[in-house]
Amino acid sequence: MDNMQQQFIEAGTLMLTGMVFVFAFLGVLIVFINTVLAKLAVKFPDAIAVPSSRPNKKSKSKSTANGDISPAVVAAISGAVKRYRTQHGHDK
Amino acid sequence: MDSLNTLWLSTGLANFELGQVVMMLVGCGLLYLAIARNFEPLLLLPMGFGAILTNIPVAGFSEAGGLLHYIYYAGVDTGIFPLIIFMGVGAMTDFGALIANPKTLLLGAAAQFGIFATLFGAIALNYVPGIEFTLKDASAIAIIGGADGPTAIFLASKLAPELLGAIAVAAYSYMALVPIIQPPIMKAFTTDEERKIEMKQLRPVTKIEKIIFPVGVLAMTIFFLPSATPLVGMFCLGNLMRESGVVDRLSSTAQNELINITTIFLGLGVGSKLSAEAFLNVETLGILALGAVAFSIGTASGVLMAKTMNKFSKEPINPLIGAAGVSAVPMAARVANKVGLQANPHNFLLMHAMGPNVAGVLGSAVAAGILLALVGG
């Protein structure tokens, strides 16, 4: 009977130590995520995060300040149209 | 006539013992659960077949020189198979939801109460005649509450190898039963209003955060709990391979071919422990009962923790996601999502529940490390 009591005490101690440790460990991990990772995220934002958090930024790079389409895009479209017309003409 | 007699004596029919027949039926039962009921088929199918093979008379699969004997000692006894599987699980895990909402780590921690509370139950079962669990046995049984197969097998192979078969059967059966065990407990501890709570959308997580996270977790484990580094280390290796983006081939192998090959051998190795003398006793019944208790307590404590956090948090937290803290990835998160949808058809909790779900994996690995450090020594 004493042996059982002893085992219950051991199990109780194990439970207390175990739960305190699990909470402490994962608690420190929360601090780690909130400090180190959060700072890293601000310093090194990646390509996926930028458009979703600031959707206007990406479209700005493709258009000029007043909302017109940028010259590079215009050039690409004109090139494609010209090639299409040429090919179209040859077909006829 | 003599040769006929010798031939008869070498047949299975002449050598069958009742225990072997019963264990073959248990093996067939596992095959039935895997094939007809789709209960964790990836592991239960090889495990059930392993149980049949190991109980074949004369063939000696599990004796020295037998195939299952070597598979068990090479991979399960050494702990190598569960660790390789853990690497694959790491390669399949996306910590994004957890990094976006780190508070959910507390839910993963709370759900581990199921493990530690079951220790008491296991010791209390010593009052039942025919059951004699030491603290090592009790710890190996209690880890079923972690709802993490590889962790349970790893810890059982270290602390109570003679109970491994029963522990693995209990762990995987209950993981398959998560959609049946959890919802009534989740509903009992929450009100309809609480189940309807909608949560704020998670922030996007950057690549650098996902790369540094496994490295940080490993560093913490090295500093505070080296006994958990076999599990956490392999898990973090798999996760880093996934998130670094530079070793897609390795990551793909870890989460497909390697984990599949290892699962076959792990299943067979665990099945080889399903022999009549090790399985057909009162202790197995005790282990099955304790496993269910561990799961239920883990689910309830996760839900209660989420309720408490919801009261003090600025952002609303749906208590249902606390149940996902038991791990059982991704089944427990899907269950949380399903119960949430029943209360509020516009409430999608899946991504929110993935946070506590993967936190539960870390939590049970940490709990296993604690049990190894305190009891295994």
Side-chain angles (χ1 to χ4, degrees), chain A residues 1 4-5 7-19 21-30 32-34 36-38 40-42 44-46 48-49 52-53, chain B residues 99 102-103 105-106 109-110 112-113 116-117 119-120 123-124 126-127 133-135 139 204 206-209 212-213 216-217 220-221 224-225 305 362-363 366 370-371 374-375:
Chain A
M1 221 44 169
M4 284 289 287
Q5 216 165 17
Q7 278 190 318
F8 272 121
I9 293 170
E10 278 181 55
T13 321
L14 200 57
M15 183 175 91
L16 209 68
T17 342
M19 281 315 285
F21 197 93
V22 170
F23 268 101
F25 189 94
L26 297 182
V28 175
L29 203 52
I30 295 178
F32 171 75
I33 294 172
N34 281 335
V36 180
L37 291 192
L40 281 173
V42 176
F44 306 99
D46 60 29
I48 307 157
S52 56
S53 57
Chain B
I99 299 171
K103 282 195 301 268
L105 273 164
L106 294 177
Q112 306 314 315
F113 185 64
F116 292 104
L119 275 173
F120 274 106
I123 298 295
N126 283 341
Y127 284 114
F133 289 137
T134 61
L135 203 58
S139 308
T206 58
K207 190 179 174 189
I208 186 97
E209 288 176 279
I212 299 296
F213 182 78
V217 172
M220 276 180 56
T221 319
F224 303 119
L225 195 63
M305 183 72 188
L362 284 179
V366 171
I370 294 166
L371 291 172
L374 297 182
V375 186

Side-chain angles (χ1 to χ4, degrees), chain B residues 179-195:
Chain B
I180 298 165
I181 298 176
Q182 284 199 318
I185 302 168
M186 292 156 83
K187 285 176 186 165
F189 285 96
T190 51
T191 63
D192 200 38
E193 284 311 304
E194 284 172 330
R195 290 197 289 276

